[in-house]
Amino acid sequence: MIKPEDKDILQEMPVFVFLYNLKEQKVVFANEYVERLTGFTSAEFLTKTKQELLAMIPPEDIQNLTLSFEELIQQKDGSGTGSNFRIRHKDGSLRRVSSKEKIYRRDENGRPTHIMGSVIDVTDQYSAERYKEALTRLQSLQQKKTQKIRNLSLLQGQEEERKRLSRELHDGIGQLLTAIRIKLNDIEHEKIEDAKLKTKIHDVKDIVLKTIKETRNISNALVPIDLYDFGLDAAIKRLTESAQQHA
């Protein structure tokens, strides 16, 4: 459910991070910090049923927590919700905590299936240094995700530019060169008594033909036009034929 590399990062977070399966109504991931917060190991916490988890929260705090979860499930913008409540430690003491939850995964119909949350012990309040450490790590994670999105956008932009240049070479310059070739064919078939002129026309036609072929090669090297016009099979066939001709 959670990528191994993400699990490693979440395990190091100085807050309790959990993943809750709405269908199974149980916690399916809890990082090691849960033991510091509740006294239960991660393995012990994962065995707890929904009723056992609710039993760790004072009845007067359950209503606000339930309303927060209901609001989260109805959200469409992914902004998440937050809650402040108390949780009972394994030794019987109560800890006041602050939590933040977001929808982690939805099914094919858009219905939430998993909720991810982070819980901070605010009983004695984290020191400014500890809070800054958590914030720095969260910002680092966000920066990595932002960089991935930027890299993807850059690649997509480069691909679109290659398509545009390929199309301009094929449909623009290529068509103009073809038109010039046709005109030269017409001139070549006219009655021209000057032998030198006929030879020059023929030479120019050969240059234009070579230029057309080179333009097509450059266009296909950028992006095979056939790939977008006729599909993958046609593009592969065209490239194979071109390779055989150059062999």
Side-chain angles (χ1 to χ4, degrees):
M1 187 58 63
I2 300 178
K3 295 180 180 179
E5 59 268 27
D6 291 338
K7 280 187 177 181
D8 292 339
I9 295 174
L10 294 176
Q11 290 291 6
E12 296 177 2
M13 295 293 291
V15 295
F16 169 34
V17 181
F18 67 90
L19 184 66
Y20 187 79
N21 187 313
L22 291 169
K23 184 177 181 180
E24 298 177 3
Q25 294 192 336
K26 62 179 295 187
V27 176
V28 293
F29 171 80
N31 69 346
E32 296 175 357
Y33 198 85
V34 65
E35 187 171 0
R36 295 186 59 178
L37 183 64
T38 68
F40 295 99
T41 66
S42 176
E44 290 173 333
F45 200 82
L46 293 180
T47 64
K48 290 187 174 297
T49 63
K50 179 181 178 181
Q51 289 70 28
E52 291 173 331
L53 292 173
L54 290 175
M56 296 174 63
I57 303 172
E60 56 269 29
D61 291 351
I62 290 178
Q63 184 177 2
N64 288 337
L65 186 61
T66 301
L67 291 174
S68 178
F69 265 67
E70 290 176 350
E71 178 185 349
L72 176 64
I73 292 173
Q74 297 299 322
Q75 280 185 354
K76 301 298 183 183
D77 59 1
S79 58
T81 59
S83 304
N84 292 296
F85 57 96
R86 292 168 297 165
I87 188 169
R88 192 171 301 280
H89 192 273
K90 190 176 183 179
D91 63 9
S93 63
L94 285 174
R95 305 286 180 90
R96 185 167 291 279
V97 299
S98 177
S99 70
K100 178 71 175 179
E101 298 83 21
K102 279 192 172 185
I103 299 299
Y104 181 75
R105 181 162 294 180
R106 297 176 183 271
D107 62 18
E108 60 276 8
N109 297 316
R111 292 188 294 266
T113 61
H114 293 78
I115 293 174
M116 179 168 280
S118 60
V119 184
I120 301 177
D121 185 353
V122 295
T123 305
D124 300 318
Q125 292 296 328
Y126 275 106
S127 65
E129 182 179 350
R130 195 68 175 276
Y131 178 78
K132 185 178 179 180
E133 178 186 351
L135 185 61
T136 300
R137 291 187 180 183
L138 287 172
Q139 288 175 339
S140 177
L141 287 173
Q142 184 61 43
Q143 288 173 356
K144 289 179 180 178
K145 290 183 177 180
T146 301
Q147 188 60 45
K148 286 183 179 180
I149 294 173
R150 286 175 179 172
N151 291 340
L152 181 59
S153 298
L154 179 61
L155 289 174
Q156 289 175 337
Q158 290 175 343
E159 180 66 18
E160 288 301 319
E161 182 63 13
R162 287 164 66 94
K163 283 174 60 178
R164 185 187 68 79
L165 290 174
S166 178
R167 180 66 70 180
E168 287 184 359
L169 284 172
H170 183 271
D171 294 344
I173 298 175
Q175 297 298 332
L176 289 173
L177 288 170
T178 300
I180 293 172
R181 182 188 173 191
I182 293 172
K183 288 293 184 181
L184 287 172
N185 280 335
D186 292 341
I187 295 172
E188 192 177 30
H189 286 88
E190 291 180 0
K191 292 182 179 180
I192 300 176
E193 296 180 356
D194 191 330
K196 289 184 178 181
L197 179 59
K198 290 189 67 173
T199 301
K200 288 180 180 180
I201 293 173
H202 182 76
D203 291 343
V204 171
K205 191 177 77 170
D206 285 344
I207 293 172
V208 170
L209 182 60
K210 291 177 181 179
T211 305
I212 291 173
K213 290 181 178 180
E214 187 61 26
T215 301
R216 287 175 179 171
N217 290 337
I218 295 173
S219 176
N220 283 326
L222 287 169
V223 176
I225 294 298
D226 290 340
L227 179 63
Y228 297 98
D229 289 345
F230 306 109
L232 182 60
D233 291 342
I236 293 175
K237 183 179 179 181
R238 180 68 174 272
L239 288 173
T240 302
E241 292 174 350
S242 178
Q244 290 174 346
Q245 290 174 1
H246 287 83

